[in-house]
Each structure stands twice: as structure tokens, then as C-alpha cells.
């Protein structure tokens, strides 16, 4: 069930904010409303936290197997200091890398010029001799005018390097008119090429030293990981303390501060825990007010069920789905139908046995309080094994290769070994549609009960009747084949075979009438909100959507056939793997390859089946079933402010 919540407000002395929050955190029953605090201390804590995260990234990248194995402990404060040191080292490393890269690029740019010394060129400029470095395509060098004085440095097939000589200071900065446009000036480096080479070497040595020091500190990775939650808690505490409503923060200009400034904060608490908070408020001298949440408020959701139902919580947490506070808790139904869907998708007793053994292995190794997932895996494995036994599916092996005892355990209506593949497929399809009818009927029954105090419940009941009528239409259009099953849509004068029960000849008329009557009730009362006339008018406004609703019900029922279709695909893969590996067991030399192929093929098939469960098995619960319940999974999990 969804635990009833109360909205609470606490008023306390402003100078006792942190102590009050620590007491509230120790109590651990209130989820505080989100605030956006701001203070120097909060910013300092965030900076430390960010540096720890950065340091962890750098240390993890530099760690080797030895350092990861020999981790050392460190106090929280020391861990923060180490993080700051590692980040500073990494910043220094980046600076050295940038310098090394820039200097190396300079050296590459001056390749071919030999040793370049800007100081010497500057000395010549002081004596009235001005030199500039130029490069030009070798075949254009002869085009330089005679009035331009040049000194050839060197030349190769592509480029010619020369010095442009000038004895006039003003003209030295100007480009000569008779210099070909292909010639371009080479800028002088910041220092000599010899110094650039030295700088590159020094920076590389510094980088190697820094990397060694960072790698040396990789033994403190676990210590930094342990420090993170400590600072996260401190950040959370300071955020609430600085973001809490305060009288002193709301003073207008010129207004005197109150003698005893107060602070306040609000949150949500399970109604069953309200007495604990009231006791803490009395003990600490807080003022407290509580009320039922308003309908428009976003209230966190806390689920509370029996130990059996709670084994579905790990899956819901993985999917990150939480019902809204004003929605239904379908945890029990989710678990029941998910187990059925899982078993039908895997559809193999051998696979089920392996999954159950895996679950038992996890259960044996799991700690107290963390057994929900292993139990769920075990239950899913058992459900798969049961369906596999019923359908006589064992690792995709042909029926004739199975022991008679296993064939005898199978259930005739759905076992191809007993009734033939064609009829077994038809019966499995029918079972899928029956599952749809049951699950979606549960949804409409829940809606009818929830709206029992309003005439809207008649519209919900109409949707239920419409669902039952549509179910027969699905049987007629999808299942009926004229050989095994015939579901006529009109009265043929002959009784209808409804899975062994001979329904009267007018049964089709009743089914269509049920669909029409349910549609009428839904049309009139679906939008009821105090006025039948307004409800009908609202349906008329959305007449297209109303008619499409019948199509949606039809498609929702038909969508359950995916359980049979996916299982059929998995069985085909299993059979193909067995056929490929079978011939390899005739020769001892290649038997090992047959074993590898079987392990790989069936392992891959199980992975694909698991993906299918997530895509299809989960979808039928969170989409088709939930839509008929009117659920959007709009909730947020209750997370109390706690230690």
C-alpha cells in the first residue's frame, strides 16, 4: 500500500538551525522540501567535494593492480587535503603539457632553420643591421628583385629559407615592394631553439615526476571514496541550514531585526511516524504544525507491503518507477504478472533451473536485509521451470529425445508433445489473451472501487464490460481458424465451443451486446464530475478519442500475444543452436567446439530473453496495465533526511 503522508512545518530558533537539523537527521523520518541554500561554508564544502571527485578520477586512471590491492586508510580531513594536492598536481601537469606542446610546435615550425637565436638578431639590430626570416617556394626565389637584399640560409626542393637584410630601421618593418607574394615571414620564437629544446625536456621530466607522485597516491582511492559520503552529508546539512526560511533574511531595508529571530522548514512524514516527530519537537523546543497534503502538492511516495510483495522492489528501483501518491500501489499485481510473463518469455524448464540455481547461489552469499533480489531471481527461475515443464521445453531439445517421464509431466493444452504444435500454439495464444483479460479486468475493477462514491464508477464498470466484449472479438479475429476454434461474431444457430464449455448459440450476440452496452455506459459516465449532461458533452467533444478507445482496448489485448511470439523466437534459436552443435558430438576431436557452441548459443539466447523480458514483460505492467488503471508512474520515492 501507499503509506499516508502528512505535511509538517517546524519553527525553531535561528541560531539553532544546524543542531535542529542534526537532531532531525538522527530521527530520520522526514523528507524535507527542496531548498537552495547559499553560504561561504556551503561553497567551501562543494569545492572540497568536487576536488575529491576530480582526484578520484585522476588516481583511478593512474592506478595499477598493486596499488588497487594495497589500499590504505586516511582520515576524512586528510583525504580532503590529499585531494587538493592531487588536483594541484594535475593542474601543474596540464600546464607543463601545454608548455611542452607549445615549445615542440615552435621547434617544428623552425625545422630547417638550424639554431635560431633571437638575442643575436636583436644585437645586430642595435648595430643598425635589421634581419627578418623568410621562406619562399624554391622556384620563386629567383623572382626576388635586385633592390631587395637577401642572405640565403638553405634550400631544398620545396622551400628556400633566406634572411631579409635592411639597414634602415623604418623600412625594416615594411615588406619590400619587389618581394614576391609567395614569400612569407617566419616569426622569431620567444627564445632560442636551444632553450626551447631544454624547456621541452624539462617539462617532460616534470610531467613524469608528477605522474609518478599521482600514481604513488593511488593507494588512497578507497579513502577518498569513503570521504565522499561524509562531505555529501555535510553539504546536505549546510544546504538546508542556509536555505531554511529565516526572519533575518526577510527583513526590509531599515526594519529592525527581531529580538529572537526564528527559522522554519517544511517537509513530509509518514502519518505513522508523526508521533515520533512530535516527541522530538517537544524535547527540543520546536513548534510543529501538521496537515494532510493538498491534492495539487507533489507528495513523495512510500510503499509498504508484506515481505513476499517486497521482493519486486529491486526491479522497480532498477526501472526507476514509482507510483504517484494519489495513484495505485500495484506492487503485488506487478510481481504476480511479471513472474508469469518472465516464465512465458523464457519458456524453457532447463533455463528456469539454471536461473533458480543462480538465485539460490546469490541468496547464500547475500547479506541480511539484501535478500530481495536473490529471492526474486529464484522465484523467476521457478516460474520459468514450471512453464517449461508444462510446455515440454528443455533446452530446445526435440520431444523424441526427451525421457517419457518429462513428456508425461507436460500439460496437454499447451504441450506440443501431447496435442501437436499447431493446437498447442493456438492454446498458448488463447492463454495470452486470457491473461490480458484477467489483468486488465483487475485494473478496471480497482478503478470502479476507487470511484465508488461517484457516478464515475458506472463509466469504469462500462469499461470493464467493453473489455469483456472486446475479448471475444479478439478471439474471433485472431484465434479462430475454422479448424480448432470457431468464434463467430453473429448467431449461427450452433453452440460455441469456449475451451471445452459449450456456450449457447446466442453467445456471440451477448458478447457484442456487452461491448455496445459497456461503450454506452463509458460514454455517459466516464467524464462525470457532478453532472451527467456535462459528462456526455465532454465525451461528444472528444468523440474521435472515445471511438479510438475501443481500438486501443483491442490492441492492448492483442499486444499480450507478444509473450507467445517472443517465446517462439527463443525456442527457434535454441533448436538452431542444438542442430548446429549436434554433428560435432560425433567426433571426439571436435566435441570441444560443440560444447563451446552450445554454451555460447544458449547463453546468448538467455541474454536475448532477458532483454525481451525488460522490453515486453515490463511493458505489459507499466504501460498496458497501468494505462487501464490511469497510472502515469509520476511519483518520487520517499527519501527521508537521515544519517
Amino acid at each position: 500500500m501507499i503509506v499516508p503522508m502528512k505535511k509538517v512545518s517546524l519553527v525553531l530558533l535561528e541560531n539553532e538551525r544546524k543542531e535542529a537539523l542534526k537532531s532531525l537527521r538522527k530521527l530520520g523520518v522526514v523528507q524535507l522540501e527542496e531548498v537552495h541554500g547559499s553560504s561561504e561554508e556551503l561553497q567551501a564544502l562543494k569545492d572540497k567535494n568536487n576536488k575529491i571527485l576530480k582526484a578520484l578520477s585522476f588516481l583511478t586512471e593512474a592506478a595499477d593492480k598493486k596499488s588497487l590491492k594495497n589500499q590504505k586508510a586516511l582520515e576524512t580531513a586528510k583525504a580532503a587535503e590529499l585531494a587538493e594536492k592531487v588536483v594541484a598536481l594535475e593542474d601543474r601537469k596540464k600546464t607543463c603539457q601545454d608548455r611542452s606542446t607549445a615549445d615542440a610546435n615552435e621547434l617544428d615550425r623552425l625545422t630547417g632553420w638550424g639554431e635560431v637565436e633571437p638575442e643575436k638578431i636583436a644585437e645586430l639590430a642595435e648595430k643598425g643591421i635589421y634581419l627578418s626570416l623568410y621562406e619562399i617556394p624554391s622556384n620563386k626565389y629567383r623572382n626576388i628583385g635586385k633592390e631587395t637584399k637577401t642572405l640565403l640560409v638553405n634550400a631544398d626542393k620545396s622551400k628556400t629559407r633566406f634572411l631579409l637584410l635592411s639597414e634602415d630601421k623604418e623600412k625594416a618593418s615594411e615588406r619590400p615592394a619587389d618581394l614576391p607574394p609567395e614569400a612569407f615571414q617566419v616569426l622569431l620564437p620567444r627564445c632560442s631553439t636551444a632553450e626551447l629544446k631544454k624547456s621541452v625536456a624539462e617539462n617532460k621530466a616534470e610531467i613524469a615526476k608528477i605522474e609518478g607522485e599521482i600514481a604513488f597516491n593511488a593507494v588512497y582511492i578507497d579513502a577518498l571514496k569513503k570521504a565522499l559520503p561524509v562531505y555529501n552529508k555535510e553539504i546536505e546539512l549546510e544546504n538546508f541550514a542556509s536555505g531554511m526560511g529565516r526572519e533575518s533574511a526577510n527583513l526590509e531595508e531599515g526594519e529592525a531585526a527581531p529580538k529572537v529571530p526564528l527559522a522554519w522548514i517544511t517537509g513530509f512524514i509518514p502519518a505513522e511516524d508523526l508521533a515520533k516527530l512530535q516527541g522530538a519537537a517537544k524535547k527540543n523546543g520546536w513548534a510543529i504544525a501538521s496537515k494532510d497534503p493538498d491534492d495539487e502538492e507533489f507528495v513523495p511516495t512510500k510503499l509498504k507491503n508484506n515481505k513476499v510483495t517486497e521482493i519486486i522492489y529491486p526491479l522497480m528501483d532498477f526501472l526507476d518507477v514509482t507510483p504517484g501518491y494519489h495513484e495505485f500501489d500495484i506492487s503485488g499485481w506487478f510481481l504476480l504478472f511479471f513472474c508469469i510473463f518472465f516464465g512465458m518469455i523464457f519458456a524453457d524448464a532447463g533455463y528456469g533451473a539454471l536461473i533458480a540455481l543462480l538465485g539460490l547461489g546469490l541468496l547464500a552469499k547475500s547479506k541480511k536485509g539484501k535478500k530481495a533480489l536473490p529471492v526474486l531471481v529464484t522465484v523467476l527461475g521457478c516460474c520459468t521451470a514450471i512453464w517449461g515443464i508444462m510446455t515440454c521445453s528443455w533446452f530446445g531439445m526435440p520431444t523424441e529425445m526427451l525421457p517419457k517421464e518429462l513428456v508425461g509431466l507436460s500439460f496437454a493444452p499447451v504441450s506440443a508433445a501431447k496435442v501437436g504444435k499447431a493446437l498447442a500454439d493456438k492454446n498458448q495464444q488463447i492463454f495470452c489473451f486470457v491473461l490480458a483479460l484477467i489483468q486488465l479486468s483487475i485494473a478496471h475493477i480497482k478503478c470502479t472501487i476507487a470511484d465508488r462514491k461517484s457516478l464515475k464508477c458506472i463509466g469504469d464498470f462500462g469499461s470493464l464490460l467493453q473489455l469483456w466484449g472486446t475479448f471475444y472479438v479478439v478471439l474471433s479475429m485472431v484465434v479462430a481458424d475454422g479448424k480448432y476454434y470457431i468464434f463467430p461474431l453473429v448467431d449461427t444457430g450452433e453452440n460455441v465451443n469456449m475451451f471445452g464449455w459449450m456456450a449457447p448459440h446466442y453467445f456471440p450476440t451477448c458478447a457484442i451486446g456487452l461491448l455496445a452496452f459497456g461503450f454506452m455506459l463509458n460514454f455517459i459516465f466516464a467524464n462525470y464530475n457532478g453532472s451527467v449532461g456535462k459528462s456526455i458533452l465532454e465525451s461528444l467533444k472528444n468523440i474521435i478519442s472515445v471511438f479510438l478507445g475501443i481500438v486501443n482496448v483491442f490492441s492492448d489485448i492483442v499486444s499480450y500475444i507478444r509473450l507467445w511470439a517472443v517465446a517462439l523466437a527463443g525456442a527457434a534459436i535454441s533448436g538452431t543452436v542444438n542442430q548446429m552443435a549436434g554433428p560435432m558430438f560425433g567426433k571426439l576431436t571436435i566435441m570441444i567446439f560443440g560444447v563451446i557452441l552450445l554454451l555460447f548459443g544458449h547463453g546468448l539466447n538467455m541474454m536475448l530473453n532477458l532483454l525481451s523480458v525488460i522490453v515486453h514483460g515490463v511493458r505489459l505492467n507499466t504501460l498496458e496495465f497501468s494505462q487501464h488503471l490511469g497510472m502515469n508512474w509520476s511519483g518520487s520515492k520517499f527519501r527521508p533526511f537521515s544519517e
Side-chain angles (χ1 to χ4, degrees):
M1 69 171 187
I2 295 176
V3 176
M5 305 293 284
K6 292 283 187 180
K7 185 173 184 179
V8 293
S9 298
L10 296 173
V11 181
L12 43 98
L13 296 177
E14 185 176 338
N15 60 1
E16 295 180 358
R17 285 174 296 144
K18 279 198 173 181
E19 291 305 314
L21 284 170
K22 287 179 181 178
S23 299
L24 202 59
R25 185 169 66 180
K26 188 175 182 179
L27 194 63
V29 293
V30 183
Q31 177 172 323
L32 299 177
E33 285 193 324
E34 184 179 358
V35 298
H36 299 284
S38 177
S39 68
E40 291 183 3
E41 184 178 350
L42 178 61
Q43 189 58 48
L45 288 169
K46 287 182 177 180
D47 289 342
K48 284 185 178 181
N49 189 71
N50 289 334
K51 285 182 178 178
I52 291 175
L53 286 171
K54 287 183 178 179
L56 270 173
S57 175
F58 300 144
L59 292 175
T60 302
E61 187 178 350
D64 54 21
K65 291 182 179 180
K66 185 178 179 181
S67 58
L68 291 174
K69 186 178 180 180
N70 302 316
Q71 290 291 297
K72 296 182 180 179
L74 206 60
E75 295 178 1
T76 302
K78 294 290 184 182
E81 291 176 7
L82 174 65
E84 190 169 353
K85 176 184 175 182
V86 171
V87 171
L89 285 170
E90 192 67 27
D91 289 341
R92 171 65 181 165
K93 175 185 171 183
K94 188 176 184 303
T95 301
C96 292
Q97 286 174 333
D98 291 342
R99 287 179 181 174
S100 178
T101 301
D103 290 344
N105 289 338
E106 280 289 85
L107 288 171
D108 288 340
R109 186 173 65 85
L110 297 168
T111 300
W113 282 92
E115 295 294 331
V116 179
E117 299 184 27
E119 298 84 355
K120 297 286 180 70
I121 295 176
E123 289 176 6
L124 290 173
E126 291 176 359
K127 297 177 182 179
I129 301 173
Y130 303 97
L131 298 175
S132 301
L133 282 65
Y134 273 85
E135 290 183 357
I136 192 172
S138 295
N139 58 354
K140 300 290 184 180
Y141 182 69
R142 65 183 68 181
N143 296 340
I144 299 175
K146 294 181 180 180
E147 295 181 2
T148 300
K149 297 180 180 179
T150 63
L151 294 174
L152 179 64
V153 176
N154 60 49
D156 52 37
K157 291 182 179 180
S158 59
K159 290 182 181 179
T160 295
R161 300 167 187 84
F162 64 93
L163 298 173
L164 185 65
L165 176 63
S166 176
E167 297 177 354
D168 188 333
K169 185 176 181 180
E170 294 182 0
K171 291 183 179 181
S173 58
E174 298 177 0
R175 183 185 179 93
D178 58 350
L179 191 64
E182 291 84 0
F184 63 92
Q185 186 177 4
V186 178
L187 298 178
L188 290 173
R190 63 178 178 82
C191 60
S192 68
T193 50
E195 290 174 323
L196 288 175
K197 292 175 183 177
K198 182 181 178 182
S199 175
V200 170
E202 289 176 348
N203 281 308
K204 285 184 176 180
E206 181 70 12
I207 291 169
K209 181 181 177 182
I210 291 171
E211 287 178 343
E213 192 168 353
I214 292 176
F216 175 78
N217 288 305
V219 293
Y220 298 111
I221 289 176
D222 286 351
L224 292 183
K225 287 180 179 178
K226 290 179 181 178
L228 267 180
V230 175
Y231 279 102
N232 284 333
K233 285 294 180 184
E234 290 301 312
I235 289 171
E236 184 183 38
L237 181 70
E238 181 59 28
N239 179 62
F240 282 122
S242 58
M244 192 181 293
R246 289 175 286 163
E247 282 186 304
S248 60
N250 298 327
L251 293 176
E252 296 183 3
E253 188 175 351
E255 186 179 354
K259 292 183 179 180
V260 185
L262 301 175
W264 56 88
I265 196 164
T266 59
F268 295 94
I269 183 174
E272 59 192 16
D273 293 326
L274 182 59
K276 293 181 182 179
L277 182 62
Q278 290 172 335
K282 185 177 181 180
K283 180 181 177 181
N284 292 282
W286 308 331
I288 181 173
S290 64
K291 67 168 188 173
D292 292 328
D294 297 330
D295 291 340
E296 64 274 8
E297 284 185 308
F298 186 80
V299 185
T301 303
K302 181 180 180 181
L303 300 178
K304 186 177 181 181
N305 289 287
N306 56 54
K307 291 185 178 180
V308 174
T309 303
E310 286 178 354
I311 66 173
I312 196 63
Y313 288 172
L315 176 64
M316 295 177 70
D317 292 340
F318 171 74
L319 298 172
D320 194 22
V321 291
T322 304
Y325 181 70
H326 299 289
E327 294 180 344
F328 295 102
D329 175 20
I330 60 169
S331 302
W333 297 114
F334 196 117
L335 173 63
L336 173 63
F337 285 102
F338 180 75
C339 288
I340 296 173
F341 299 157
F342 188 99
M344 292 181 67
I345 288 174
F346 270 81
D348 191 289
Y351 289 176
L354 293 177
I355 295 170
L357 288 173
L358 173 63
L360 291 173
L362 294 174
L363 187 61
K365 293 183 178 180
S366 60
K367 298 179 181 178
K368 187 177 180 181
K370 294 185 178 181
K371 296 184 179 294
L373 180 59
V375 171
L376 177 61
V377 173
T378 305
V379 171
L380 293 175
C382 292
C383 292
T384 303
I386 291 171
W387 183 252
I389 291 171
M390 291 173 64
T391 57
C392 199
S393 300
W394 297 85
F395 293 111
M397 295 174 64
T399 306
E400 57 271 15
M401 294 181 63
L402 295 173
K404 293 181 179 180
E405 292 78 9
L406 295 181
V407 176
L409 290 173
S410 62
F411 185 55
V414 294
S415 172
K418 289 187 175 180
V419 298
K421 188 175 187 317
L423 182 55
D425 285 346
K426 281 293 177 186
N427 288 335
Q428 288 181 30
Q429 292 174 23
I430 292 171
F431 183 70
C432 291
F433 297 143
V434 170
L435 275 177
L437 180 66
I438 294 172
Q439 188 175 30
L440 301 183
S441 293
I442 291 169
H444 290 293
I445 291 171
K446 289 179 74 69
C447 290
T448 303
I449 295 172
D451 294 329
R452 62 188 178 278
K453 295 181 180 180
S454 167
L455 289 180
K456 189 177 180 181
C457 69
I458 300 176
D460 296 323
F461 182 69
S463 297
L464 179 63
L465 299 182
Q466 183 177 304
L467 172 70
W468 290 347
T470 307
F471 170 73
Y472 183 81
V473 175
V474 170
L475 294 180
S476 177
M477 299 182 67
V478 180
V479 178
D481 58 359
K483 181 179 180 182
Y484 297 111
Y485 294 103
I486 300 176
F487 301 105
L489 291 176
V490 295
D491 187 351
T492 62
E494 296 182 4
N495 292 344
V496 181
N497 183 0
M498 291 295 294
F499 324 125
W501 169 63
M502 299 306 294
H505 63 87
Y506 51 81
F507 190 82
T509 304
C510 293
I512 301 301
L514 202 64
L515 171 59
F517 183 62
F519 174 79
M520 182 187 69
L521 293 179
N522 182 260
F523 185 87
I524 296 172
F525 296 102
N527 301 297
Y528 181 80
N529 192 17
S531 171
V532 175
K534 289 182 179 179
S535 178
I536 295 173
L537 184 61
E538 191 66 28
S539 294
L540 288 171
K541 288 180 182 178
N542 302 286
I543 189 66
I544 296 177
S545 298
V546 172
F547 279 110
L548 286 176
I550 300 176
V551 179
N552 289 336
V553 173
F554 181 90
S555 64
D556 286 345
I557 296 174
V558 172
S559 68
Y560 279 70
I561 203 172
R562 69 182 69 230
L563 299 171
W564 167 78
V566 174
L568 192 65
I573 293 174
S574 296
T576 302
V577 171
N578 292 340
Q579 287 180 0
M580 292 173 63
M584 296 183 184
F585 285 87
K587 296 180 181 179
L588 185 63
T589 53
I590 59 173
M591 187 179 295
I592 186 66
F593 296 104
V595 173
I596 293 172
L597 179 58
L598 284 175
L599 292 175
F600 175 78
H602 285 288
L604 178 62
N605 193 27
M606 292 184 72
M607 294 299 295
L608 292 174
N609 284 339
L610 183 60
L611 181 62
S612 298
V613 167
I614 296 173
V615 174
H616 302 293
V618 169
R619 171 200 163 99
L620 293 175
N621 275 306
T622 58
L623 190 61
E624 277 82 357
F625 183 42
S626 299
Q627 281 183 344
H628 286 256
L629 282 165
M631 286 182 61
N632 296 314
W633 297 98
S634 58
S636 174
K637 190 175 180 180
F638 176 70
R639 292 180 173 87
F641 179 57
S642 64
E643 294 180 343

